[in-house]
Amino acid sequence: MKEKIDISAADLDDVLLVIRNNYGYDFSNYSRASLIRRVLRFMDTARIKTVYDLRFHLTNEPAFFAYFLQTITVNVTEMFRDPAFYHSLREKVLPKLAAYPIIKIWHAGCSSGEEVYSMCILLEEAGLLNRAVIYATDINPANIEKARSGIVPMHYMKDYTANYQQSGGKEDFSTYYTARYENALIRKDLRRNIVFSQHNLVTDQGFNEFQLVCCRNVLIYFNKTLQNHVFHLFYNSLPPMGYLALGMKESLLFTDLRDKFETVDATAKIFKRKK
Amino acid sequence: MPTSIDHIIVIGGSAGSLPVLLQVLENLPPNFSIPVIVVLHRLKNVASDLQGILASVQQTQKIKEPEDKEAIKRRHVYIAPQNYHLLVEADKTFSLDYSEPVHYSRPSIDVSFESVVRVFGPKTIAILLSGANQDGADGMEAVVAANGVAIAQSPETSEYPAMPVAAIEKNAKVKSMAPEKIVEYLHQLTVE
Ligand SMILES: C[S@@+](CC[C@H](N)C(=O)[O-])C[C@H]1O[C@@H](n2cnc3c(N)ncnc32)[C@H](O)[C@@H]1O
């Protein structure tokens, strides 16, 4: 039987402090329940047996920290994940965005890019891609590298095609990528207006104003305090009537800004900044 | 009965578990106030009105899928939403998590059981129902290790016994109970 490693709340605090002091990343306001699972999972894959060893390696080996950072964030994503959300974007948001001469969109926490490619496809189909600039950011540099490559594992394409169709997509999905052995390469022209960069929602400032901020399934990893901080960041990055899209299980319930937004689609979790 | 949240019940089920879950919920005592968390394996992107089905047999408890960071309340039955793992924070609020499926499942029963027991320790009552895989066995072990109560539906009453059997074989302290016994057990909790 595999022996169980465990880590106490105080141990976790110590580890987070080591990271903050050495590398400036502050995970102290992340959801603990999920973070503990990630740390235990990391220790398991990296074959680290004790918290003492974990702290030792984190303190002394920057490359070890880079590996830690890569695995500690939850990077799972999909193209056209939650088809109902994309359907709502098509119907309720894109027609409004069409009024702007330049459409600026921010994907905060874009992971390996699948969500961004999906947005580009929607924009292309709505005839808006030419006028759009899509900023795709993530805390995890390994994710940004992947997202830049435009490569998606081929074996997911069947699921993504189904998602796309459920979202109201009418085109032949296979025209959006070229298959190369086990990889699918998303067409380069679809990606032409994406700007990738590393950005940490905990410590970095806003950097532009956007007609749409998409931050899906990132806030669930933050506690209420940090969620509120990020909502302020988004609020200040939106013009009046600018859109904010969250994950299906995320809400504005716990931010003091909840009255400053109106609901565009309650199930798809699309909101709009009031005047 | 305690006034603040003290105990918690967490029920995991997979194939063949829905009728038993309904039986258990339908027969909860009317004054039952311990929060209940339900983690059922469901098909991805297939809308199923689980909330409506549960509400049809149980009207005194509020039945809902929790929002992220929502506080756990008494007289509530919470359903783990599709495509997310459901976790519990030390301040007794929910957290959702979109990490990799565990045992091909998201929500995973192990993930919820382990997370609940981390917070509620010996005050955890975990119930594992019928299912055709191994999810829940590790979680039940964690419950037992924390001196919580771990109940598996008896294999002979389970439509798909693999899941309860895996939990029972993994740990001798898992109690095996027929659905009526589970109902009785929950009644006796209210009396205590
Ligand atoms: C589960 S993925 C969500 C991906 C995509 N938005 C979706 O919904 O499919 C969460 C992402 O949030 C990123 N993330 C976590 N903490 C962050 C932070 N402080 N700043 C920016 N991104 C962060 C992670 O690196 C990860 O890529």
Side-chain angles (χ1 to χ4, degrees), chain A residues 30 73-78 81 108-112 115 137-140 143 199-202 215-218 221-222, chain B residues 98:
Chain A
Y30 275 53
T73 58
V74 173
N75 308 320
V76 179
T77 185
E78 278 176 37
R81 166 179 181 176
C110 66
S111 192
S112 40
E115 178 184 276
T137 66
D138 201 277
I139 188 180
N140 190 331
N143 285 346
H199 179 280
N200 184 347
L201 290 166
V202 181
C215 184
R216 309 193 71 227
N217 302 298
V218 180
Y221 300 106
F222 299 168
Chain B
Y98 196 85

CSV table of all heavy atoms in Angstrom, one decimal, chain A residues 30 73-78 81 108-112 115 137-140 143 199-202 215-218 221-222, chain B residues 98, ligand 1:
chain,number,residue,atom,x,y,z
A,30,TYR,N,-5.5,31.9,-1.9
A,30,TYR,CA,-6.1,30.8,-2.7
A,30,TYR,C,-7.0,30.0,-1.8
A,30,TYR,O,-6.8,29.8,-0.6
A,30,TYR,CB,-5.0,30.0,-3.4
A,30,TYR,CG,-4.5,30.6,-4.7
A,30,TYR,CD1,-4.0,31.9,-4.7
A,30,TYR,CD2,-4.5,29.8,-5.9
A,30,TYR,CE1,-3.6,32.4,-5.9
A,30,TYR,CE2,-4.0,30.4,-7.1
A,30,TYR,CZ,-3.6,31.7,-7.1
A,30,TYR,OH,-3.1,32.2,-8.2
A,73,THR,N,-1.1,25.1,-10.4
A,73,THR,CA,-2.3,25.7,-10.9
A,73,THR,C,-3.1,24.6,-11.6
A,73,THR,O,-2.6,23.7,-12.2
A,73,THR,CB,-2.0,26.9,-11.8
A,73,THR,OG1,-1.3,26.4,-12.9
A,73,THR,CG2,-1.3,28.0,-11.2
A,74,VAL,N,-4.4,24.8,-11.5
A,74,VAL,CA,-5.3,23.8,-12.2
A,74,VAL,C,-5.4,24.3,-13.7
A,74,VAL,O,-6.0,25.4,-13.9
A,74,VAL,CB,-6.7,23.7,-11.5
A,74,VAL,CG1,-7.6,22.9,-12.4
A,74,VAL,CG2,-6.5,23.1,-10.2
A,75,ASN,N,-4.9,23.6,-14.6
A,75,ASN,CA,-4.8,24.1,-16.0
A,75,ASN,C,-5.9,23.5,-16.9
A,75,ASN,O,-5.8,23.7,-18.1
A,75,ASN,CB,-3.4,23.8,-16.5
A,75,ASN,CG,-2.4,24.3,-15.6
A,75,ASN,OD1,-2.5,25.4,-15.0
A,75,ASN,ND2,-1.3,23.5,-15.4
A,76,VAL,N,-6.7,22.7,-16.4
A,76,VAL,CA,-7.7,21.9,-17.2
A,76,VAL,C,-8.6,22.9,-18.0
A,76,VAL,O,-9.1,23.9,-17.4
A,76,VAL,CB,-8.6,21.0,-16.3
A,76,VAL,CG1,-9.6,20.3,-17.2
A,76,VAL,CG2,-7.7,20.1,-15.6
A,77,THR,N,-8.7,22.7,-19.2
A,77,THR,CA,-9.6,23.6,-20.1
A,77,THR,C,-10.1,22.8,-21.3
A,77,THR,O,-9.7,21.7,-21.5
A,77,THR,CB,-8.8,24.9,-20.4
A,77,THR,OG1,-9.7,25.8,-21.1
A,77,THR,CG2,-7.6,24.5,-21.3
A,78,GLU,N,-11.0,23.5,-22.0
A,78,GLU,CA,-11.5,22.8,-23.2
A,78,GLU,C,-11.9,23.9,-24.2
A,78,GLU,O,-12.1,25.0,-23.9
A,78,GLU,CB,-12.9,22.2,-22.8
A,78,GLU,CG,-12.8,20.8,-22.2
A,78,GLU,CD,-14.2,20.3,-21.8
A,78,GLU,OE1,-15.2,20.6,-22.6
A,78,GLU,OE2,-14.3,19.7,-20.8
A,81,ARG,N,-16.0,24.9,-24.0
A,81,ARG,CA,-16.5,24.3,-22.7
A,81,ARG,C,-17.8,25.0,-22.3
A,81,ARG,O,-17.8,26.2,-22.4
A,81,ARG,CB,-15.4,24.5,-21.7
A,81,ARG,CG,-15.7,24.3,-20.3
A,81,ARG,CD,-14.5,24.6,-19.5
A,81,ARG,NE,-14.6,24.4,-18.1
A,81,ARG,CZ,-13.6,24.6,-17.3
A,81,ARG,NH1,-12.4,24.8,-17.8
A,81,ARG,NH2,-13.8,24.4,-16.0
A,108,ALA,N,-8.5,36.4,-18.9
A,108,ALA,CA,-7.7,36.3,-17.7
A,108,ALA,C,-7.7,34.9,-17.2
A,108,ALA,O,-8.7,34.4,-16.9
A,108,ALA,CB,-8.2,37.3,-16.7
A,109,GLY,N,-6.5,34.3,-17.1
A,109,GLY,CA,-6.5,32.9,-16.7
A,109,GLY,C,-6.8,32.0,-17.9
A,109,GLY,O,-7.7,31.2,-17.9
A,110,CYS,N,-6.1,32.2,-19.0
A,110,CYS,CA,-6.5,31.6,-20.3
A,110,CYS,C,-6.0,30.1,-20.4
A,110,CYS,O,-6.3,29.4,-21.4
A,110,CYS,CB,-6.0,32.4,-21.5
A,110,CYS,SG,-4.2,32.4,-21.6
A,111,SER,N,-5.2,29.7,-19.4
A,111,SER,CA,-4.6,28.4,-19.5
A,111,SER,C,-3.9,28.1,-20.8
A,111,SER,O,-3.3,29.0,-21.4
A,111,SER,CB,-5.6,27.3,-19.1
A,111,SER,OG,-5.0,26.1,-18.9
A,112,SER,N,-4.1,26.9,-21.4
A,112,SER,CA,-3.4,26.6,-22.6
A,112,SER,C,-4.0,27.1,-23.9
A,112,SER,O,-3.7,26.7,-25.0
A,112,SER,CB,-3.1,25.1,-22.7
A,112,SER,OG,-4.2,24.4,-22.3
A,115,GLU,N,-9.9,28.2,-24.7
A,115,GLU,CA,-11.0,29.2,-24.6
A,115,GLU,C,-10.8,30.4,-25.6
A,115,GLU,O,-11.7,30.9,-26.2
A,115,GLU,CB,-11.0,29.7,-23.1
A,115,GLU,CG,-12.0,30.7,-22.8
A,115,GLU,CD,-11.9,31.2,-21.3
A,115,GLU,OE1,-12.4,30.5,-20.4
A,115,GLU,OE2,-11.2,32.2,-21.1
A,137,THR,N,-4.0,36.1,-21.0
A,137,THR,CA,-3.0,36.1,-20.0
A,137,THR,C,-3.2,35.0,-19.0
A,137,THR,O,-4.3,34.5,-18.8
A,137,THR,CB,-3.0,37.5,-19.1
A,137,THR,OG1,-4.3,37.5,-18.4
A,137,THR,CG2,-2.9,38.7,-20.1
A,138,ASP,N,-2.1,34.6,-18.3
A,138,ASP,CA,-2.1,33.6,-17.3
A,138,ASP,C,-0.9,33.8,-16.4
A,138,ASP,O,0.1,34.4,-16.8
A,138,ASP,CB,-2.1,32.2,-18.0
A,138,ASP,CG,-2.6,31.1,-17.1
A,138,ASP,OD1,-1.9,30.6,-16.2
A,138,ASP,OD2,-3.8,30.7,-17.2
A,139,ILE,N,-1.1,33.3,-15.2
A,139,ILE,CA,0.0,33.4,-14.2
A,139,ILE,C,1.1,32.4,-14.6
A,139,ILE,O,2.3,32.6,-14.2
A,139,ILE,CB,-0.5,33.0,-12.8
A,139,ILE,CG1,0.6,33.3,-11.7
A,139,ILE,CG2,-1.0,31.6,-12.7
A,139,ILE,CD1,0.1,33.0,-10.3
A,140,ASN,N,0.8,31.3,-15.3
A,140,ASN,CA,1.7,30.2,-15.4
A,140,ASN,C,2.3,30.3,-16.8
A,140,ASN,O,1.7,30.1,-17.9
A,140,ASN,CB,0.8,28.9,-15.3
A,140,ASN,CG,1.7,27.7,-15.3
A,140,ASN,OD1,2.7,27.6,-15.9
A,140,ASN,ND2,1.1,26.6,-14.7
A,143,ASN,N,1.8,27.6,-19.4
A,143,ASN,CA,0.5,27.7,-20.1
A,143,ASN,C,0.5,28.6,-21.3
A,143,ASN,O,0.0,28.4,-22.4
A,143,ASN,CB,-0.6,28.1,-19.2
A,143,ASN,CG,-1.1,27.0,-18.2
A,143,ASN,OD1,-0.7,25.9,-18.4
A,143,ASN,ND2,-1.8,27.4,-17.2
A,199,HIS,N,0.5,37.3,-16.7
A,199,HIS,CA,-0.1,38.4,-15.8
A,199,HIS,C,-0.7,37.6,-14.6
A,199,HIS,O,-1.4,36.6,-14.7
A,199,HIS,CB,-1.2,39.1,-16.6
A,199,HIS,CG,-1.9,40.1,-15.8
A,199,HIS,ND1,-2.9,39.8,-14.9
A,199,HIS,CD2,-1.8,41.5,-15.8
A,199,HIS,CE1,-3.3,41.0,-14.3
A,199,HIS,NE2,-2.7,42.0,-14.9
A,200,ASN,N,-0.3,38.2,-13.4
A,200,ASN,CA,-0.8,37.6,-12.2
A,200,ASN,C,-1.9,38.4,-11.6
A,200,ASN,O,-1.7,39.6,-11.3
A,200,ASN,CB,0.4,37.5,-11.2
A,200,ASN,CG,0.0,36.8,-9.9
A,200,ASN,OD1,-1.2,36.6,-9.6
A,200,ASN,ND2,1.0,36.4,-9.2
A,201,LEU,N,-3.1,37.9,-11.5
A,201,LEU,CA,-4.3,38.6,-11.0
A,201,LEU,C,-4.1,39.0,-9.6
A,201,LEU,O,-4.8,40.0,-9.1
A,201,LEU,CB,-5.5,37.8,-11.2
A,201,LEU,CG,-6.0,37.5,-12.6
A,201,LEU,CD1,-7.0,36.4,-12.7
A,201,LEU,CD2,-6.6,38.8,-13.2
A,202,VAL,N,-3.2,38.4,-8.8
A,202,VAL,CA,-3.0,38.7,-7.4
A,202,VAL,C,-2.2,40.0,-7.3
A,202,VAL,O,-2.6,40.9,-6.5
A,202,VAL,CB,-2.3,37.6,-6.7
A,202,VAL,CG1,-2.1,37.9,-5.2
A,202,VAL,CG2,-3.0,36.3,-6.8
A,215,CYS,N,-13.2,35.7,-17.5
A,215,CYS,CA,-12.4,35.1,-16.5
A,215,CYS,C,-13.1,33.9,-16.0
A,215,CYS,O,-13.9,34.0,-15.0
A,215,CYS,CB,-12.0,36.1,-15.4
A,215,CYS,SG,-10.9,35.3,-14.2
A,216,ARG,N,-12.9,32.8,-16.6
A,216,ARG,CA,-13.8,31.6,-16.3
A,216,ARG,C,-13.0,30.5,-15.5
A,216,ARG,O,-11.9,30.2,-15.9
A,216,ARG,CB,-14.3,31.0,-17.6
A,216,ARG,CG,-15.0,32.1,-18.4
A,216,ARG,CD,-15.8,31.4,-19.6
A,216,ARG,NE,-17.0,30.8,-19.0
A,216,ARG,CZ,-17.4,29.6,-19.4
A,216,ARG,NH1,-16.7,28.9,-20.2
A,216,ARG,NH2,-18.5,29.1,-18.8
A,217,ASN,N,-13.6,30.1,-14.4
A,217,ASN,CA,-13.0,29.0,-13.6
A,217,ASN,C,-11.6,29.3,-13.1
A,217,ASN,O,-10.7,28.4,-13.0
A,217,ASN,CB,-13.0,27.7,-14.5
A,217,ASN,CG,-14.4,27.3,-14.9
A,217,ASN,OD1,-15.2,27.1,-14.1
A,217,ASN,ND2,-14.6,27.4,-16.2
A,218,VAL,N,-11.4,30.5,-12.8
A,218,VAL,CA,-10.2,31.0,-12.1
A,218,VAL,C,-10.5,31.4,-10.7
A,218,VAL,O,-9.8,31.0,-9.7
A,218,VAL,CB,-9.5,32.2,-12.9
A,218,VAL,CG1,-8.2,32.6,-12.2
A,218,VAL,CG2,-9.2,31.8,-14.4
A,221,TYR,N,-10.6,29.3,-7.5
A,221,TYR,CA,-9.4,28.9,-6.8
A,221,TYR,C,-9.0,30.0,-5.8
A,221,TYR,O,-8.0,29.8,-5.2
A,221,TYR,CB,-8.3,28.6,-7.8
A,221,TYR,CG,-8.7,27.5,-8.7
A,221,TYR,CD1,-9.1,27.6,-10.0
A,221,TYR,CD2,-8.8,26.2,-8.1
A,221,TYR,CE1,-9.6,26.6,-10.7
A,221,TYR,CE2,-9.3,25.1,-8.9
A,221,TYR,CZ,-9.7,25.3,-10.2
A,221,TYR,OH,-10.2,24.3,-10.9
A,222,PHE,N,-9.8,31.1,-5.7
A,222,PHE,CA,-9.4,32.2,-4.8
A,222,PHE,C,-10.4,32.2,-3.6
A,222,PHE,O,-11.6,31.9,-3.8
A,222,PHE,CB,-9.5,33.5,-5.5
A,222,PHE,CG,-8.5,33.6,-6.7
A,222,PHE,CD1,-8.7,34.7,-7.6
A,222,PHE,CD2,-7.5,32.7,-6.9
A,222,PHE,CE1,-7.8,34.8,-8.7
A,222,PHE,CE2,-6.6,32.9,-8.0
A,222,PHE,CZ,-6.8,33.9,-8.9
B,98,TYR,N,-12.2,22.6,-10.9
B,98,TYR,CA,-12.3,22.0,-12.2
B,98,TYR,C,-11.0,21.3,-12.5
B,98,TYR,O,-10.5,21.3,-13.6
B,98,TYR,CB,-12.5,23.1,-13.2
B,98,TYR,CG,-13.0,22.5,-14.5
B,98,TYR,CD1,-14.4,22.3,-14.7
B,98,TYR,CD2,-12.2,22.3,-15.6
B,98,TYR,CE1,-14.8,21.7,-15.9
B,98,TYR,CE2,-12.6,21.7,-16.8
B,98,TYR,CZ,-13.9,21.5,-16.9
B,98,TYR,OH,-14.4,20.9,-18.1
C,1,LIG,C1,-9.1,25.9,-14.7
C,1,LIG,S1,-8.1,27.0,-15.6
C,1,LIG,C2,-9.3,27.9,-16.5
C,1,LIG,C3,-9.0,28.0,-18.0
C,1,LIG,C4,-10.1,28.6,-18.8
C,1,LIG,N1,-10.4,29.9,-18.5
C,1,LIG,C5,-11.4,27.7,-18.8
C,1,LIG,O1,-12.4,28.1,-18.1
C,1,LIG,O2,-11.4,26.7,-19.4
C,1,LIG,C6,-7.5,28.1,-14.4
C,1,LIG,C7,-6.4,29.0,-14.9
C,1,LIG,O3,-6.2,30.1,-14.0
C,1,LIG,C8,-4.8,30.4,-13.9
C,1,LIG,N2,-4.5,31.2,-12.7
C,1,LIG,C9,-4.4,30.7,-11.5
C,1,LIG,N3,-4.1,31.7,-10.6
C,1,LIG,C10,-3.9,32.8,-11.4
C,1,LIG,C11,-3.5,34.2,-11.1
C,1,LIG,N4,-3.2,34.6,-9.9
C,1,LIG,N5,-3.5,35.1,-12.2
C,1,LIG,C12,-3.7,34.6,-13.4
C,1,LIG,N6,-4.1,33.4,-13.8
C,1,LIG,C13,-4.2,32.5,-12.8
C,1,LIG,C14,-4.2,29.0,-14.0
C,1,LIG,O4,-2.8,29.1,-14.3
C,1,LIG,C15,-5.0,28.3,-15.0
C,1,LIG,O5,-4.5,28.4,-16.3
